[in-house]
Amino acid sequence: MDFLNGQESLTAIQWILRAIIAFFFLLFATKIMGQRSISQLRLLDFAMAISLGNIIAHPLSDEGLGMKGSMISMSVLVILYTAGVLLSLKWASFRHFIDPLPIPLIKNGQIVSANLRKARISVDFLLSELRKEKIEDVQKIALALWEPDGSISSFLYPQQQPPTRADMNMVPEPFSLPFNLIKEGKIDYDELNKTKFTEDWLKNKLTSTYNVDIRDVILATIDKNDNLQVFLYKS
């Protein structure tokens, strides 16, 4: 176990053993801290990101450290990460360890206090996340889940959901994205070529309708109905 202590030099095998121990130690440490500590990141992704960041930072900031050991360590971690992803696809137990099942926080309009403690979040945090989804009343929620990435998914009762076009028997129009003709003062010719318009038409339109030059435009879009929207730089 001498490879765990500071030494003037380490063999390749010692570097590999260090990387393996550090990787699994970080996995278990993160698991103990809970999902909130890595909000929006999966357990395996978080462990990988923080490990690689620290490994590459030290030799870049300390001239006394060589790159060989760090490169070996990073290679081992990349292999472990890839293996972890493959294992999670084939081995359900491992998948549930790194990506645990969602935890119900609200059921049938009632807060499940035991699961709040399990997720290690407070009522204030839960209410804050609900407000971000424009939900002001817990009793409107049929189910709210604490997801493995640290986010909350909420599902309203059907009678609390806003009506859709299907509910009102309205025929929806086909979805289409507008074309971004100008971005940051420059014409996007790839986008322009997807439309029936030309560069001369665009320049003339900007001059006649908006009295501006292309360089003054931060964004210009045109939709399927040929409606041109122009957004200018503001000083």
Side-chain angles (χ1 to χ4, degrees), residues 5-232:
N5 302 318
Q7 298 182 29
E8 292 184 0
S9 63
L10 294 172
T11 65
I13 295 298
Q14 288 174 321
W15 277 110
I16 292 172
L17 291 174
R18 269 190 173 188
I20 292 174
I21 290 176
F23 179 80
F24 284 104
F25 176 79
L26 185 59
L27 275 181
F28 282 103
T30 307
K31 184 71 174 179
I32 292 172
M33 288 189 296
Q35 291 298 124
R36 184 173 177 180
S37 64
I38 57 171
S39 183
Q40 308 307 316
L41 284 176
R42 300 284 178 168
L43 180 64
L44 198 61
D45 299 329
F46 174 79
M48 189 65 178
I50 195 171
S51 297
L52 292 184
N54 279 283
I55 288 171
I56 196 62
H58 290 296
L60 292 178
S61 60
D62 189 343
E63 61 184 10
L65 296 176
M67 287 293 294
K68 178 183 176 182
S70 294
M71 292 176 68
I72 293 175
S73 298
M74 290 179 64
S75 299
V76 173
L77 291 178
V78 169
I79 293 172
L80 289 172
Y81 176 81
T82 304
V85 172
L86 294 176
L87 279 174
S88 69
L89 296 175
K90 297 183 178 181
W91 189 15
S93 298
F94 184 72
R95 180 168 65 248
H96 291 159
F97 172 74
I98 61 174
D99 287 329
L101 296 175
I103 301 173
L105 301 180
I106 299 174
K107 282 185 176 180
N108 301 320
Q110 298 296 319
I111 296 175
V112 185
S113 57
N115 286 347
L116 283 183
R117 292 191 294 270
K118 186 176 180 180
R120 297 175 191 173
I121 63 174
S122 65
V123 173
D124 285 336
F125 180 83
L126 173 62
L127 296 177
S128 173
E129 293 299 302
L130 294 180
R131 287 195 295 271
K132 292 178 184 178
E133 298 186 25
K134 305 296 187 294
I135 302 174
E136 79 288 352
D137 189 352
V138 172
Q139 293 183 333
K140 294 181 179 180
I141 300 174
L143 180 65
L145 300 172
W146 179 248
E147 300 290 353
D149 66 353
S151 62
I152 296 177
S153 301
S154 301
F155 303 90
L156 298 174
Y157 283 108
Q159 63 269 27
Q160 300 294 342
Q161 297 174 4
T164 64
R165 288 177 177 266
D167 296 328
M168 302 174 69
N169 295 321
M170 297 176 61
V171 179
E173 296 182 0
F175 173 78
S176 64
L177 286 172
F179 296 103
N180 301 317
L181 303 183
I182 300 175
K183 289 185 288 188
E184 299 176 344
K186 295 180 180 179
I187 296 176
D188 189 329
Y189 290 99
D190 289 336
E191 290 284 284
L192 182 61
N193 291 335
K194 294 176 183 177
T195 71
K196 60 184 179 182
F197 301 106
T198 64
E199 180 180 348
D200 290 336
W201 174 88
L202 180 58
K203 290 179 178 178
N204 293 333
K205 187 71 172 178
L206 290 175
T207 302
S208 61
T209 305
Y210 300 95
N211 194 29
V212 295
D213 188 76
I214 291 175
R215 291 172 297 180
D216 302 321
V217 179
I218 188 172
L219 178 66
T221 66
I222 193 165
D223 61 22
K224 63 179 181 179
N225 296 320
D226 298 340
N227 295 317
L228 183 66
Q229 295 288 334
V230 176
F231 304 88
L232 304 177

